[in-house]
Amino acid sequence: MIDLGKKRALIIDDSPAMCSSLRTTLSNFGITRCEMSNSANEAVFRIRQRDFDLIVCDYCLGDGSDGQQILEQLRKSALIAPTVAFLMVTAERGYEKVVSCAELAPDDYLLKPFTAETMRIRVERVFEKKDVFAPIYELIGGGKAEEAITECDRILDLKNKFAIDLIRLKGELLITLGRHEDARLLYEQIIAARAIPWARIGLAKTLSMAGRSTEAIETLELAIADTPQYLGAYDLLAQTHEQQGNAELAQNILEKAVDISPNTLSRQTMIGEMAYRNGDLETAQKAFGLVVNKGKYSFSRSHNDYVNLSRALLDDNKYEEALNVIGDAKKSFENTPELELASSVMESLIYQGTARHAESQKALAKALEVRKEHGLRLSDAVSIDLAKSCFLNDEEDEARALVKDVVSNFYDDEKIQKMVRQMLDKVGRGNESQDLIEKSVTEVIKLNNEGVLRAKNGDLAGAIDLLVAASKRMPENVQVALNAAHALIVDSDRNGWNEGNMFLARSFINGHAAKHANLDKFKKVSALFKDVSLKFGVKVA
């Protein structure tokens, strides 16, 4: 029996009367520790202050935000643990809104009007499931994915009623560990019994990981045909097609997903970026414009959304609009060095487009000054914009150095290289693009290989010097960072614990965890770090 009296709840609704009504309903079945928020920002403030066991959130909020955005950003920012129950409440029975809620997978959602008894049953069921999954979540949180899989199997052996959810989580863990063959067999067993959409998507991921892209595409197309509202299939299908060079087809697929559920801001950003790469400025402006407008009320809004929109307007020769967007960004956000640099770069490019050359050079000088003063790590898009401004303002050495840095950091990313080529075409240097890119790629591969060779030949000190210096120069290059971390760890393993080296190794690993945790090499280096730490009795958080 679930003891609801120990649970702390947060109700989010723009109507104070509805908040009070829901609080009364919750208190009637034991949840008396209950706080209320009438806006998304107030809710997030409370969530940052203390832990809640249950969040009951209305879909439609009067401040311009909605429950979907709150859930998306809470999970994206890891502000709520997997053990927190999130219930969505909505009076909207329309297809689009309900699909949007379902896509973000709240633990449950209630359609108004509902009875107190209905809510009690739903809440108890959600907490019953959370209790079953609690030991698994704890293992995952401690970085013990293998043990978490074992725990999934243990609970499955008990014939638990949440078996299908346990199998789903087990499949995700297998993929995280790179055990795609085991995951494939698991998903195929599920599909043989019932063609569940998430199982088909999981199967497609395993096929893609095994290099079987054609089969992955066929699997995703079947999933979409059978369940057209399951939007995760569109995202993976679009990603797979773009990787194969079918960029326009990939965009069309994402557009279909956006037509079904237009309020997921992360997908709008994806389609905006893809449309921009494809030269479809109208779609890019529409997508980025929606992100800016809807994101005004989001606690995780970013000045980068404004920069994206300004860039798309600039390329469409809408100079005044582009400048106004940057002006709005400067009014809407605290003046951080990152914002000052990005806005100065965009202003430089806009002024250049309107033949205000002196102002363009002044804005560029400001951007370069901020970059040097604060030692900022630039995003790939801002780096390319800065290189473009340098070329247009006859700062050619600076421009080439920036291009080299971008390509070196993302030497195996065709999307970034495509953006670099497009930029060079726009500044009239398309004939140099292949040479610039090839030289940069060749240099980083040569440098990386030399560091690895030194390590293999026993010159760990030389390998560390080379790879650490290279990783600091190319902080986004995951291969160089992992090779540097590997050399640092091996040195401690062979020559005794070196606190400084292991701290640096940890920083290289953590710096790429968000984007590259699924890489086989990342997993091997991370495992080696833990093993060596354990060998010397050092606890790994």
Side-chain angles (χ1 to χ4, degrees):
M1 190 70 178
I2 305 296
D3 185 358
L4 295 178
K6 294 182 178 180
K7 305 297 183 184
R8 182 189 294 275
L10 173 66
I11 297 169
I12 309 171
D13 196 303
D14 63 308
S15 166
M18 182 56 68
C19 277
S20 296
S21 176
L22 286 170
R23 183 171 64 175
T24 300
T25 300
L26 290 174
S27 65
N28 284 339
F29 49 82
I31 303 179
T32 56
R33 294 190 300 167
C34 189
E35 299 184 26
M36 301 182 293
S37 293
N38 299 131
S39 71
N41 286 331
E42 181 189 352
V44 172
F45 174 79
R46 291 181 182 274
I47 291 167
R48 290 185 189 276
Q49 298 304 306
R50 64 182 57 85
D51 294 331
F52 292 94
D53 304 293
L54 171 67
I55 297 174
V56 181
C57 182
D58 192 65
Y59 181 84
C60 296
L61 300 173
D63 61 0
S65 59
D66 58 46
Q68 175 184 349
Q69 292 174 24
I70 291 176
L71 178 56
E72 180 181 6
Q73 297 304 329
L74 286 174
R75 289 187 173 161
K76 182 179 178 182
S77 304
L79 286 177
I80 56 173
T83 52
V84 177
F86 193 105
L87 268 66
M88 194 83 75
V89 177
T90 178
E92 175 58 68
R93 296 176 182 270
Y95 176 76
E96 173 192 305
K97 296 292 194 325
V98 172
V99 165
S100 296
C101 290
E103 180 195 357
L104 283 162
D107 293 291
D108 207 340
Y109 64 91
L110 295 164
L111 291 177
K112 300 176 185 176
F114 54 85
T115 65
E117 180 62 10
T118 297
M119 188 172 194
R120 181 190 66 77
I121 292 170
R122 297 288 188 87
V123 168
E124 286 187 347
R125 178 178 171 82
V126 167
F127 278 126
E128 183 184 2
K129 180 179 174 182
K130 293 291 183 183
D131 282 354
V132 170
F133 279 71
I136 304 172
Y137 291 145
E138 185 176 352
L139 289 167
I140 294 171
K144 301 176 180 178
E146 289 285 2
E147 290 91 332
I149 292 173
T150 301
E151 183 65 12
C152 284
D153 288 334
R154 185 190 69 79
I155 300 173
L156 282 166
D157 287 341
L158 301 175
K159 309 300 181 185
N160 190 277
K161 67 180 180 181
F162 299 113
I164 197 69
D165 298 297
L166 287 162
I167 292 171
R168 181 176 185 176
L169 180 55
K170 178 182 176 180
E172 292 170 355
L173 288 167
L174 288 169
I175 288 176
T176 298
L177 289 170
R179 293 170 55 183
H180 56 81
E181 185 62 20
D182 291 335
R184 181 183 66 80
L185 293 173
L186 179 69
Y187 289 127
E188 286 179 344
Q189 289 173 4
I190 294 292
I191 293 169
R194 181 182 168 195
I196 302 174
W198 59 256
R200 279 179 162 164
I201 293 176
L203 176 60
K205 287 180 181 178
T206 66
L207 292 169
S208 181
M209 291 169 72
R212 298 160 63 179
S213 297
T214 301
E215 293 173 76
I217 288 171
E218 291 173 355
T219 301
L220 291 167
E221 288 175 343
L222 278 173
I224 290 171
D226 287 351
T227 318
Q229 73 272 26
Y230 205 86
L231 302 181
Y234 294 80
D235 295 340
L236 186 55
L237 183 59
Q239 177 186 328
T240 306
H241 276 301
E242 187 172 31
Q243 287 172 347
Q244 292 195 319
N246 303 319
E248 291 185 6
L249 176 57
Q251 181 182 326
N252 290 336
I253 292 165
L254 271 187
E255 286 176 348
K256 290 177 183 177
V258 166
D259 287 341
I260 296 170
S261 176
N263 294 323
T264 304
L265 300 188
S266 57
R267 185 175 291 109
Q268 288 287 357
T269 299
M270 284 168 56
I271 199 168
E273 292 173 347
M274 189 176 289
Y276 182 80
R277 290 194 298 270
N278 290 342
D280 183 356
L281 298 178
E282 181 180 352
T283 299
Q285 290 168 35
K286 179 181 176 182
F288 290 138
L290 189 146
V291 173
V292 165
N293 290 328
K294 292 284 285 185
K296 285 179 180 178
Y297 308 99
S298 171
F299 66 89
S300 63
R301 68 197 185 108
S302 168
H303 68 262
N304 291 321
D305 300 329
Y306 290 74
V307 173
N308 287 337
L309 176 57
S310 180
R311 186 185 298 114
L313 290 165
L314 167 65
D315 281 18
D316 203 18
N317 300 324
K318 297 177 180 177
Y319 302 113
E320 197 63 35
E321 290 179 58
L323 196 58
N324 288 338
V325 169
I326 290 300
D328 288 343
K330 292 166 75 172
K331 293 175 185 175
S332 303
F333 295 91
E334 181 184 352
N335 186 30
T336 62
E338 290 80 7
L339 171 59
E340 189 171 17
L341 190 149
S343 60
S344 296
V345 171
M346 290 308 303
E347 287 169 346
S348 174
L349 291 171
I350 294 166
Y351 292 143
Q352 186 68 221
T354 55
R356 295 157 68 178
H357 300 300
E359 290 171 275
S360 177
Q361 289 174 353
K362 183 178 178 181
L364 172 60
K366 181 64 176 177
L368 293 173
E369 177 189 340
V370 172
R371 181 190 181 215
K372 182 178 180 180
E373 179 182 352
H374 296 279
L376 298 179
R377 288 174 60 173
L378 308 183
S379 69
D380 50 284
V382 173
S383 292
I384 292 170
D385 287 338
L386 183 56
K388 180 180 179 181
S389 179
C390 286
F391 273 124
L392 292 173
N393 285 286
D394 298 321
E395 296 283 351
E396 294 195 9
D397 290 342
E398 188 78 43
R400 286 191 173 86
L402 283 161
V403 169
K404 182 178 178 181
D405 282 348
V406 172
V407 176
S408 297
N409 273 295
F410 303 96
Y411 75 99
D412 56 351
D413 191 328
E414 180 55 38
K415 289 187 293 186
I416 302 298
Q417 293 185 25
K418 179 179 179 180
M419 291 168 61
V420 170
R421 291 190 190 95
Q422 289 173 335
M423 180 273 291
L424 291 170
D425 283 338
K426 288 172 185 175
V427 298
R429 296 175 183 275
N431 60 320
E432 300 178 37
S433 65
Q434 198 60 28
D435 186 52
L436 267 173
I437 292 171
E438 283 185 358
K439 280 185 176 178
S440 298
V441 170
T442 300
E443 283 183 26
V444 71
I445 291 174
K446 182 179 177 182
L447 184 152
N448 190 47
N449 290 344
E450 184 180 345
V452 172
L453 184 62
R454 287 187 185 185
K456 285 183 177 179
N457 291 336
D459 182 13
L460 274 177
I464 288 171
D465 288 344
L466 184 68
L467 291 169
V468 167
S471 192
K472 289 180 177 179
R473 182 170 67 83
M474 300 177 286
E476 301 298 330
N477 190 310
V478 63
Q479 297 297 336
V480 172
L482 292 178
N483 283 332
H486 185 267
L488 290 162
I489 298 166
V490 170
D491 179 69
S492 278
D493 187 30
R494 293 180 182 175
N495 302 315
W497 182 264
N498 184 312
E499 182 66 32
N501 280 359
M502 292 300 278
F503 177 84
L504 192 54
R506 183 199 289 268
S507 71
F508 288 144
I509 294 169
N510 290 346
H512 292 276
K515 289 185 178 180
H516 302 292
N518 288 332
L519 284 179
D520 286 342
K521 186 164 190 171
F522 181 93
K523 294 167 189 169
K524 290 176 182 176
V525 173
S526 297
L528 180 63
F529 182 90
K530 292 177 182 177
D531 289 344
V532 173
S533 298
L534 184 62
K535 173 181 174 180
F536 289 96
V538 178
K539 185 178 179 180
V540 179

